[in-house]
Amino acid sequence: MTPEEILSEIRSLSDPEAVQGMARFGINPDNTLGVSIPNLLRIAKKTGKDHDLAQELWESGIHEARILAAFIDIPKLVTEARMEDWVKDFDSWDVCDQVCIKLFNKTAYAYDKAIEWSGRDEVFVKRAGFALMATLAVHDKKAADQVFIRFLQIINDKADDNRNFVKKAINWALRQIGKRNPDLNRAAISTAQDIQSRGSKAGKWIAADALKELTGDKVREKLGLI
């Protein structure tokens, strides 16, 4: 399929009411058509993986086309330059998260960018850093604990950021790291307690929400702690 054919199909699925609903959940309605993720996955299945096509879809600026670009790009071909170009364009939490979950966490630069971006000030760049930490904690089963201990140190350092899209990603990363194994569960709980003790508004929310899950019976049973 050509970029024009794909964009035409995406536009044909436009749902203005869905856009309004998305906006209520904090999704940027600009250049958004209200096309569902299942429909985008269906289109991705038809197009197949295509690195160049992904870039053309990204450059369209259309919200759903950018999510689709993450679905069809090829991680091993993604350069650091492409990651930097795309992250600067992030303008909505769902685009940020889908790109990190479906594409960026599978690239050779994922760990470096998680650390680098978590130290940047732009809202969605910083969110992308912590979204990568969360997705790597879930999907990279072979990674050593030490890389996640490093992430916990960064989480502790950045947990006073009260911006909604940032603090929720920090919380997400903290919880996912704490669910990997018993040692990281204990380390994540200790991190959350340290954050909580500082008393910042953002930190108290991040820590309380994480502790509720990480000390709960469901997680403890999964990790063999009870």
Side-chain angles (χ1 to χ4, degrees), residues 24 43 66 68 90 93 98 118 133 143 152 168 171 190 193 205:
R24 288 193 291 271
I43 297 171
R66 286 182 164 176
L68 179 59
F90 287 171
W93 66 263
Q98 289 290 342
S118 67
M133 293 182 191
L152 289 174
K168 286 189 173 182
N171 169 267
S190 177
Q193 290 170 336
W205 179 84

Side-chain angles (χ1 to χ4, degrees), residues 4-208:
E4 293 75 19
E5 289 171 335
I6 294 169
L7 293 174
S8 178
E9 182 167 354
I10 291 173
R11 291 189 179 98
S12 75
L13 297 168
S14 178
D15 184 347
E17 289 187 7
V19 175
Q20 294 177 13
M22 292 163 71
R24 288 193 291 271
F25 284 94
I27 294 173
N28 188 347
D30 294 343
N31 295 315
T32 300
L33 300 174
V35 181
S36 69
I37 293 296
N39 275 324
L40 294 178
L41 289 169
R42 179 180 56 78
I43 297 171
K45 188 174 181 179
K46 288 197 298 183
T47 65
K49 297 291 186 179
D50 191 316
H51 181 63
D52 293 331
L53 178 59
Q55 182 62 30
E56 292 186 75
L57 292 174
W58 188 269
E59 290 174 357
S60 74
I62 295 172
H63 185 98
E64 288 81 0
R66 286 182 164 176
I67 292 175
L68 179 59
F71 293 170
I72 69 170
D73 208 344
I74 302 170
K76 68 180 181 180
L77 298 181
V78 173
T79 63
E80 185 177 5
R82 175 169 291 194
M83 292 176 74
E84 285 294 339
D85 286 343
W86 284 23
V87 79
K88 291 172 187 174
D89 287 337
F90 287 171
D91 62 357
S92 191
W93 66 263
D94 63 326
V95 174
C96 171
D97 294 359
Q98 289 290 342
V99 172
C100 289
I101 292 168
K102 298 295 186 180
L103 180 64
F104 282 178
N105 79 308
K106 302 173 185 177
T107 68
Y109 309 99
Y111 283 94
D112 289 341
K113 291 304 174 185
I115 293 171
E116 179 185 341
W117 291 343
S118 67
R120 297 259 292 272
D121 190 56
E122 306 97 313
V123 169
F124 291 111
V125 177
K126 186 177 287 287
R127 182 183 177 94
F130 291 105
L132 278 175
M133 293 182 191
T135 56
L136 288 166
V138 173
H139 297 292
D140 190 351
K141 305 298 185 183
K142 297 181 180 179
D145 284 0
Q146 192 56 42
V147 299
F148 297 103
I149 294 295
R150 173 71 178 113
F151 286 169
L152 289 174
Q153 294 168 345
I154 296 171
I155 287 168
N156 197 341
D157 183 54
K158 303 298 183 182
D160 298 330
D161 193 320
N162 197 45
R163 292 176 293 180
N164 193 48
F165 294 125
V166 175
K167 71 180 184 181
K168 286 189 173 182
I170 294 172
N171 169 267
W172 179 21
L174 178 58
R175 288 184 293 106
Q176 296 304 326
I177 292 169
K179 291 188 286 186
R180 270 184 73 88
N181 60 50
D183 288 341
L184 286 173
N185 178 262
R186 287 186 282 269
I189 288 171
S190 177
T191 298
Q193 290 170 336
D194 193 33
I195 292 169
Q196 194 173 51
S197 71
R198 295 204 300 270
S200 72
K201 183 177 179 181
K204 287 192 290 186
W205 179 84
I206 289 167

